[in-house]
Amino acid sequence: TRKRIIMSRKQSIKATRHNSNNGLREVEFQYESSEAKEVHLAGDFNLWSSYTMPMLRDERGIWRARVPLPRGRYEYRGR
């Protein structure tokens, strides 16, 4: 069985926008946790699917996902 952890306000995901050539903006989502075994990004841009966007952990322990999105406002959270 999977243990699902929903992040608290203190454990928020940071989003950083990057320019892109094709009219979309590349948005990098970051989450820092030494305890997490896996992190998935869910938002209105993927119909709040908890399992379609896994984040990858880098060598410093920061979980990251880059998502190309049209300009706009989005809601998201990690699980």
Side-chain angles (χ1 to χ4, degrees):
T1 61
R2 283 189 188 184
K3 182 178 178 186
R4 294 182 96 183
I5 298 171
I6 298 177
M7 295 171 201
S8 69
R9 271 280 195 233
K10 279 185 185 177
Q11 297 174 304
S12 63
I13 289 181
K14 292 189 278 183
T16 306
R17 292 179 298 223
H18 302 275
N19 290 331
S20 183
N21 295 336
N22 58 3
L24 299 176
R25 278 215 167 143
E26 183 98 353
V27 180
E28 181 179 48
F29 296 91
Q30 298 178 12
Y31 173 66
E32 192 169 341
S33 172
S34 59
E35 298 173 5
K37 301 292 183 215
E38 61 182 280
V39 178
H40 293 261
L41 183 63
D44 51 8
F45 46 81
N46 70 350
L47 303 175
W48 293 100
S49 175
S50 300
Y51 297 105
T52 59
M53 291 189 154
M55 299 178 78
L56 301 175
R57 190 176 192 173
D58 70 12
E59 63 279 349
R60 295 181 306 178
I62 298 173
W63 295 86
R64 299 175 189 272
R66 282 189 163 226
V67 182
L69 295 171
R71 287 181 180 252
R73 190 175 190 139
Y74 299 94
E75 292 185 34
Y76 58 90
R77 70 187 304 173
R79 293 187 187 246

